[in-house]
Amino acid sequence: MLRKIFFLMLIAGPFCKERARAQDLGSLGSQKPFTLRGSAQVRGIFYNASGIQDRRTPFSYLFAGNLVASFYGVSMPVNFSISEEDRSVSQPFNQFGISPHYKWITLHLGYQNVSFSPYTLAGYTMLGAGVELTPGKFRLGFMYGRLNRATTIDTTTQSLAPISFSRKAFAVKVGYGTEKSFIDFSMLKGKDDPGSLSTSKLTLDSLDVLPAANTVLGVSARLGLTKNIFVEANAGTSLYTRDINSPLVLDSVPVPILKTLKSIAIINGTTSLYTALDAAIGYKSKLYTVKFQYQRIDPDFQSMGAYFFNSDLESYSVAPSLRLFGNKLRFNGSIGFQHDNLQHQKEATTHKIIANTLLSADLTKQIGIDINYSNFSNNQQPNTIRFADSLKIVQTTQNLSVSPRWMLVGTRITHTVILSANLMQMNDYNTYFAQNAISRNINYKQYYLNYNFGYLPSGLSVFINLSNTNADAPGTNDKNTGGTLGFSKTFLKSAFLVSASAGYFAGQHSGVNDNTINASANLTYKFMNRHALSALFFYTNDKPANATLTPGFSETRAELGYAYSF
């Protein structure tokens, strides 16, 4: 067993750079030591255009493929592409990581995206090593490695962009419980290396680039208070120092807590303290669930172990769900209230109301309906500093979607009919524009009907799509009405596939009418399990009503291809 593990590490290190899934070392004996699979294809593409400038060459070719080698379950793909304009070999595994595990021990080596909590180490890509241990109900974790690589000089432009120091960090997690009920404490400590950039301090000062340090403490918990009531919470406190070399020391500040903070973090005059919290309490039963949520994140909250935060917000929301009549009636919804400007540093405070509902009902075995409604309201209120009314945002955006459906599935014949209406409306209630008779409202309407017929014994499928779209916005009005008819059919025990479609659309764009015809066809023949021949055809014809204003055009594209897989 140890020799197999050593062999796996040996072959993975020099050649693989992909983020591998956790490998169960206990099952290595049942896995194949080496597998190789892949595919290759060659395509000839023919193109012709009339009425417009050619968008591609009249003839082009493409030779492409992929190769996937696997060593004891660790996959290493390689893609290549050769055409008349490009020749490349790409390795989509430039970041390799492996996570072998045995019983309750999991190792992390290479590039990893480990999460200990949303506010400490939260999936940031780290090049390093770590371990997670889950003996019984204990939950222990440790990671150490590099978060950012130092910027190198561009040999062409002699520039440094974007600027970044080499940043290293370690993270620790200690917890107890299971995935359903637990409490975890975590910490992340990261720091930039000021000497990792090969450039002068004068250049860094002119670019306002400063080495930073960060210490984040976090707690995450999920607890079942009773059989039906549960509580979830995540909290984080971040000490972020923007310049670890700052001369602004705080030794003379008579605050006792500073001595404690200095024992775990770099503290000086550029250090800021941020907090973040999200919590929820819910009730769950067989028929319904209701969840109350709260979130508060300080302005500019940062953690070196996370990529991005929607900071400077406080929100309250409730999310109920309901299932009745043997799950034939389903309802999910949420409504929330959110505002920013927590530190009263902005000229205006923005209040938002966000609501969303989804109702799905199976009226019979064949007939059902889905209804979705969402509302987003945005309202700004000025603080002590007044600003122009024309800059004030007071908007409400509503979306409504209604989709009845009918499905008849038999052993030989299937019918599916879906009718959908989608309405979107954005109303601008800014008094400045209303008083000056300026409309900034947007209305969007879309209706479509889809019918699909299938005859299973012969592999025949026929579909019809009809649609109507109307978009009305300030200064423009677009309309589009049309439909598409198509089919697909298999022959020779599904070895031969024929499909084709044709569509016609009549449109009006800012008062200019045009007609568009689209057509496509596809022939595919698979033989000897690994080989496939294909032929594709695409045609587009656009004819405006007034050719002097907007000239018409047509495009034709055809492809012939051969593919081999192994």
Side-chain angles (χ1 to χ4, degrees), residues 100-101 111 120 249 310 339 364 367 451 470 500 516:
H101 68 89
Y111 286 93
T120 55
V249 297
N310 283 318
H339 71 91
T364 67
I367 301 175
Y451 169 71
N470 190 331
T516 302

Side-chain angles (χ1 to χ4, degrees), residues 39 85 130 159-160 164 187 260 290 340 367 383 447 462 472 479 488 490 536 552 562:
S39 64
E85 297 180 354
S159 63
L160 288 165
S164 66
M187 182 182 76
T260 303
V290 60
D340 64 353
I367 301 175
N383 293 332
Y447 309 93
V462 180
D472 189 5
K479 299 179 181 179
S488 65
T490 59
L536 295 88
Y562 165 76

Side-chain angles (χ1 to χ4, degrees), residues 365-383:
K365 291 183 178 180
Q366 293 80 30
I367 301 175
I369 186 171
D370 300 307
I371 302 175
N372 187 295
Y373 172 78
S374 64
N375 179 290
F376 180 86
S377 298
N378 196 351
N379 185 12
Q380 282 185 334
Q381 294 181 358
N383 293 332

